Amino acid sequence: MSDPSRPTEFPATSELDQLPDWDTEETAEWQASLDAVVRNAGPDRAVYLLRRMHEYAARSGLALPGLLSSDYINTIPASAQPVFPGDVAMESRITAVNRWNAAAMVTRGSRLGLGGHIATYASAAWLYEVGFNHFFKGKDGDGSGDQLYVQGHASPGIYARVFLEGRLDEKQLDSFRREAGGHGLPSYPHPRRLPWLWEFPTVSMGLGPLAAIYQARFNRYLQARGIKDTSGSRVWAFLGDGEMDEPEAMAALALAAREGLDNLTFVINCNLQRLDGPVRSNSKIVQELEGRFRGAGWNVVKSLWGEAWDTVLRQDATGALVHRLGEAPDAQMQTYAARDAAYIRTHFFTGDALSGIAARLSDAQLTDLFENSRGGHEPLKVHAAYRAAVEHHGAPTVILAQTVKGHTLGAGFESRNANHQMKKLTMAQFRDMRDVLELPIPDSALSGDLVPYWHPGENSEEVQYLRDRRTALGGPAPVRKVVVKPMQQPLAAPFEALTKGFGKQEVATTMALVRLVKDLMRVEETGRRWVPIIPDEARTFGMESLFPTAGIYSPHGQTYEPVDADQLLYYREAKNGQLIDERITEAGSMAEFTAAATSYATHGEPMIPFYMFYSMFGFQRTGDQFWALADQMGRGFVIGATAGRTTMTGEGLQHADGHSHLLASANPAAVSYDPAFAYEIAVVVREGLRRMYGDQPEDVFYYLTVYNEPKQQPAMPTGPEVEEGILRGLYRFRQAEPLGAGPRIQLLASGTAIHWVLEAQELLASQWGVQADVWSVTSWTELRRDALGADRARLRGEERVPYVTAALSGTPGPVLAVSDWMRQVPDQISQWVEQDYTSLGTDGFGLSDTRDAVRRYFHVDAESIVVAALDQLARADAIAPETVVQARDRYGRPGRPAIA
């Protein structure tokens, strides 16, 4: 332990040695003064004075680095609390009713084994109620209002409040987690399941914080581009302290601060418990979060202690109490909340100074300090924190509100490690809860086996007060409203460049798609609604031409001269830029895409997000976010560029995507296509615009995979069956000639594999006398979904032939399907193909080599397709088995593995 009487010793060198000291004598005097304070008043006094000077300097406008942590007390002292604008007694009665009905709803459902969560809302009730009564704006004004990301496990409390408003009835509350009939309430905020109420899905945990940041950013983007004035909208994200351990929860904190998103407020319910135990058992999660948010540049407001602590802290003349609060680990704090006064006196109020404070408190006052007097449980404290958040400018705010998990649910719930898994209360516990909440529920109503809901009456003061507050704030919340605003569909001109083909010029489908989008962005009526999003790969995808024309969105504009300013395609940032270059973050890009994809509902402004990424890092890396996008009913175009397992061979294993279409096929909202030619892209995109933005918009998003391999792009074949086939997933691209006798086979291919199959078609005809029809499969998944629909129709007694079955019906020979994907992708349709069916694909890990070598490695090159086709014909007794052996021998070549 250091001796405070000795002068402070400094390291031989420090970073300050690099700065000039204009007055070394003055510096020495300041150091001597500090040493004197340490000697005479102790180190705590010295620290206090330094912090006071730091605070004073900051208020005086001096540029100082901020402190990362503060004492374990409220940021806003009692003397600085603003006047509460509401009726505390009335709001307390409303909150009590909501607490009761939330617990009743979950308990009633648990009789059927449905489960549910009680403790989270019990701890956070006031965090929501103060917001609903005084801060959260509805949509009755400009249609946007505030955006509320409700903590998923708190949903029963929100349902209870909506019930009190009159937007839900008892029958609906009893349908909590009973959705099979089509009218139940989903367990968590699921917009797809309850589209008039929920706007944002927040379970899985961790995605809510990330999505909220990018929603706040997209609000600014809409304003900067003149699409809509969103200056009145604020994003509120309600989060759990344990949830903040998810990597996504912290992923974009610096972005929010860097862009000054003061339209964003995080409210973290610090009840100190995760699902199984303490969030931080041996340390303090509040202090950790404060340091991380402050370090990222956020404004931090701590609301830790209630009014009872204000009185006790004023008695702390030595600072011993504040020190004790700061050193007690969270797990011990939970124990204090569950123990009696004797335990608290013995284990917390230790030492002369603290025992003297405790001596002036009754046992009831002591237990109340730890069981009830938390900042998140008192409306005046919560209101003060919220007011500080909305009045802060230049940075986002996080409110760290300390609560007790299971508050008001009784000793069996409060601060218990297992309370997340506790799904119901006994009738005796409900009686105790009624008394704590002071609800006028008679004993007779609690004499049976089924706990009743409680409603004070449609014309009661409580209901009228609640509705008046929501009217003053712009209508109900949460609420999701969709006003259909069909977009004018673009004329044929932008699509014609692709449908006419590119002649002898070789063009990759990635480039063809980028060209189409650039042309669509020039369309006068709808061009400004495109939102191109790229995670720092614009040049890879040939999108750098958008830099000078569309501009890259930056809230700060361009405050520097770009190094390539003298070049045609220079890097141009602009406050009203249209292109969003998200830097190296697929998770952030996906969150931005979701905000844009749901703008039609959030703000009543349909936007067309166009998100292009390395194919491997889409559905695989951010698959959970794609499910949240589907839940939120997002619309837009997702592009897996550089697709396939064999087209990016120089990049190797981790860049070789052979499975994203399998992952996409599992997402019911994803309409997936693997186009082979530019004209197929044109047809698919045009249909996607109609389906998602036409007169009857659908809640789907389109996933297209495109390739970086330049190939000749033919003109679109004629005939109505071609466009129908492209959209439904299959059409005959090239029929075998002549149509005479001899063995025949049907070759199906998607994406870049069409070129290997076309080469194989020529080899089969010229070298083996086999005639093959080549079919372009634009979507294996859409073919499968159509077939599944036919199967379901059959169960209803309807006869419907799957499209793939009808299209291939009567075609001679077996069917061989080929793609640059795992065999499971084309195998999705096998059971609905009447002919003998087999497939070739790229199962396994990717690897680096030339495209030819890698395709031979996976046995999907033209020669391997020929051998597979001949083998299939031999097994059907259409050719001699020896022919297969001859083909294997013929196609072995130096530098390639043998076909075996």
Side-chain angles (χ1 to χ4, degrees), residues 16-88:
L16 292 179
D17 292 336
Q18 303 172 74
L19 304 178
D21 188 345
W22 296 331
D23 191 336
T24 57
E25 184 177 347
E26 183 182 36
T27 303
E29 290 175 356
W30 279 81
Q31 292 170 351
S33 297
L34 181 62
D35 290 337
V37 172
V38 173
R39 284 193 304 271
N40 298 320
D44 289 343
R45 177 61 179 171
V47 170
Y48 176 82
L49 288 175
L50 287 173
R51 288 180 58 186
R52 270 295 189 188
M53 289 302 100
H54 188 281
E55 179 184 70
Y56 182 78
R59 288 180 178 176
S60 300
L62 299 180
L64 286 176
L67 300 176
L68 294 184
S69 65
S70 60
D71 289 321
Y72 202 64
I73 56 177
N74 294 343
T75 302
I76 304 169
S79 59
Q81 287 177 196
V83 175
F84 188 75
D87 184 333
V88 174

Side-chain angles (χ1 to χ4, degrees), residues 290-581:
E290 179 184 26
R292 295 176 75 176
F293 277 90
R294 283 193 192 277
W298 286 53
N299 176 46
V300 178
V301 177
K302 293 195 291 190
S303 182
L304 307 182
W305 306 113
E307 185 177 355
W309 277 99
D310 291 337
T311 302
V312 176
L313 285 167
R314 282 195 290 269
Q315 303 174 31
D316 183 25
T318 65
L321 180 56
V322 172
H323 179 77
R324 185 76 179 101
L325 288 171
E327 70 177 3
D330 284 352
Q332 188 63 50
M333 293 296 289
Q334 296 296 79
T335 302
Y336 293 139
R339 294 291 192 269
D340 59 17
Y343 182 91
I344 295 171
R345 292 181 191 278
T346 302
H347 293 87
F348 182 84
F349 288 97
T350 57
D352 293 341
L354 294 184
S355 60
I357 293 175
R360 294 189 288 272
L361 299 173
S362 68
D363 286 355
Q365 287 174 317
L366 276 180
T367 55
D368 181 68
L369 284 176
F370 289 94
E371 287 182 14
N372 300 309
S373 189
R374 306 289 177 101
H377 294 324
E378 297 192 9
L380 273 65
K381 301 295 184 183
V382 175
H383 174 265
Y386 285 8
R387 181 59 58 195
V390 299
E391 292 179 352
H392 185 81
H393 299 290
T397 294
V398 58
I399 295 169
L400 303 175
Q402 185 165 256
T403 65
V404 173
K405 193 167 185 178
H407 183 57
T408 73
L409 296 179
F413 272 80
E414 292 180 341
S415 297
R416 302 295 175 177
N417 284 337
N419 60 21
H420 187 81
Q421 281 71 38
M422 298 164 71
K423 312 299 183 185
K424 57 186 177 181
L425 278 71
T426 65
M427 197 60 74
Q429 288 173 318
F430 270 112
R431 292 191 188 95
D432 292 340
M433 183 180 179
R434 173 203 58 186
D435 295 341
V436 168
L437 298 177
E438 299 180 348
L439 289 171
I441 303 175
D443 286 339
S444 59
L446 303 177
S447 60
D449 296 328
L450 190 64
V451 60
Y453 298 116
W454 179 252
H455 195 293
E458 183 70 17
N459 298 317
S460 65
E461 293 180 344
E462 292 85 353
V463 171
Q464 190 59 49
Y465 181 92
L466 180 151
R467 289 175 176 170
D468 288 345
R469 294 307 311 143
R470 290 313 314 158
T471 299
L473 288 166
V479 67
R480 182 177 183 272
K481 291 185 177 180
V482 178
V483 178
V484 178
K485 296 170 64 174
M487 283 193 196
Q488 180 177 327
Q489 296 298 298
L491 300 177
F495 303 96
E496 288 178 352
L498 273 62
T499 57
K500 288 180 178 179
F502 292 82
K504 295 182 178 180
Q505 179 186 5
E506 292 190 338
V507 176
T509 50
T510 298
M511 297 299 102
L513 179 56
V514 169
R515 174 173 175 172
L516 174 61
V517 172
K518 285 165 56 180
D519 289 343
L520 290 170
M521 287 173 63
R522 296 189 185 103
V523 175
E524 184 175 353
E525 294 296 327
T526 58
R528 70 191 188 113
R529 296 193 176 272
W530 283 84
V531 184
I533 302 169
I534 310 100
D536 201 36
E537 289 283 3
R539 298 182 193 277
T540 301
F541 307 138
M543 298 182 69
E544 67 270 27
S545 61
L546 293 177
F547 290 171
T549 55
I552 302 162
Y553 171 70
S554 168
H556 308 297
Q558 192 159 43
T559 61
Y560 61 93
E561 181 182 2
V563 68
D564 54 359
D566 58 341
Q567 298 179 18
L568 179 63
L569 303 181
Y570 70 98
Y571 193 83
R572 184 176 75 88
E573 296 185 82
K575 291 182 179 180
N576 63 346
Q578 187 168 1
L579 172 67
I580 300 179
D581 189 335

Side-chain angles (χ1 to χ4, degrees), residues 154-273:
S155 61
I158 308 304
Y159 289 137
R161 188 174 215 278
V162 175
F163 166 67
L164 196 59
E165 288 178 324
R167 292 193 288 157
L168 287 173
D169 57 29
E170 287 193 17
K171 182 178 180 181
Q172 289 171 300
L173 292 189
D174 268 347
S175 295
F176 176 62
R177 293 194 170 192
R178 300 178 68 181
E179 298 181 83
H183 303 290
L185 300 182
S187 52
Y188 304 124
H190 292 304
R192 188 170 283 272
R193 292 303 186 199
L194 201 62
W196 59 267
L197 181 68
W198 298 120
E199 281 196 281
F200 307 105
T202 52
V203 178
S204 301
M205 287 188 289
L207 297 188
L210 182 68
I213 289 173
Y214 281 91
Q215 181 65 58
R217 184 184 192 229
F218 187 73
N219 290 358
R220 291 284 173 84
Y221 172 89
L222 287 177
Q223 173 122 7
R225 294 199 48 231
I227 302 292
K228 184 169 187 179
D229 181 0
T230 58
S231 58
S233 291
R234 174 171 293 272
V235 177
W236 299 81
F238 289 83
L239 315 167
D241 46 3
E243 180 179 8
M244 302 312 290
D245 282 341
E246 290 284 5
E248 296 90 347
M250 293 286 190
L253 298 187
L255 167 74
R258 186 169 63 245
E259 299 203 355
L261 299 181
D262 51 18
N263 60 338
L264 171 67
T265 301
F266 275 15
V267 181
I268 302 182
N269 178 18
C270 298
N271 58 35
L272 312 185
Q273 284 185 243

Side-chain angles (χ1 to χ4, degrees), residues 822-844:
M822 300 172 67
R823 291 178 63 179
Q824 290 99 315
V825 174
D827 285 352
Q828 291 181 89
I829 65 171
S830 61
Q831 72 186 83
W832 294 281
V833 176
E834 297 172 346
Q835 296 87 341
D836 175 61
Y837 185 98
T838 193
S839 63
L840 296 177
T842 54
D843 291 73

